[in-house]
Amino acid sequence: KNSAADSDTINELQGTISGFVFLDRNNNGIFEDGESPVADAEVILQDSDGVEITSLFSIENGSYSFSPLAAGSYFIQQIVPDGYRGGKNSDGGEFGESVANDLFFVTIEDGDVASDLDFGLLPAQPSKRELLASSFDLEMEPLDPENEI
């Protein structure tokens, strides 16, 4: 007996959570033209209690995607790969929010596609521009001509 009202048949729309891992040259959290994707960066899907559900690695174009997912709340965590340091995350789009460096909290309903959950990375070594623009507090004592030898 087949019936559309069969209680054993559940037809839930499944959701998706996706984004990119990239080298954020201007450290603004936005994956822009001229910025390079980062492949093989580990991204972890956790439940709302922070318990790992699964993990995967970004592919050649820097993208990652968790699908199909049931409606609910999730954490998405990036593990910073060797050779990089954490940069800024995107703002999280419509369904997520950046709650810490390299961590998003995302809530999706049936059929939602939460995209643009992007993780920006910086080179492990700061660039000369970053170093010069940083806020080092270098106070130099004036030379006292009386103490010259």
Side-chain angles (χ1 to χ4, degrees), residues 45-53 72-76 105-107:
L45 176 70
Q46 302 168 343
D47 67 17
S48 60
D49 293 322
V51 176
E52 182 175 332
I53 297 170
S73 294
Y74 300 91
F75 285 104
I76 308 298
F105 184 73
V106 183
T107 300

Side-chain angles (χ1 to χ4, degrees), residues 25-119:
R25 297 192 190 285
N26 58 2
N27 197 25
N28 68 353
I30 301 169
F31 191 13
E32 300 168 310
D33 288 341
E35 294 180 324
S36 304
V38 175
D40 300 320
E42 185 175 14
V43 182
I44 300 170
L45 176 70
Q46 302 168 343
D47 67 17
S48 60
D49 293 322
V51 176
E52 182 175 332
I53 297 170
T54 189
S55 69
L56 51 73
F57 291 85
S58 59
I59 62 174
E60 190 174 321
N61 70 357
S63 69
Y64 70 89
S65 181
F66 295 102
S67 182
L69 296 174
S73 294
Y74 300 91
F75 285 104
I76 308 298
Q77 180 181 16
Q78 175 201 234
I79 304 301
V80 176
D82 290 342
Y84 298 93
R85 57 192 168 101
K88 290 186 180 175
N89 300 343
S90 67
D91 65 10
E94 180 181 352
F95 302 101
E97 70 175 303
S98 180
V99 293
N101 199 23
D102 303 317
L103 185 68
F104 287 105
F105 184 73
V106 183
T107 300
I108 57 172
E109 301 299 328
D110 291 339
D112 284 346
V113 176
S115 58
D116 298 326
L117 298 161
D118 300 340
F119 295 103

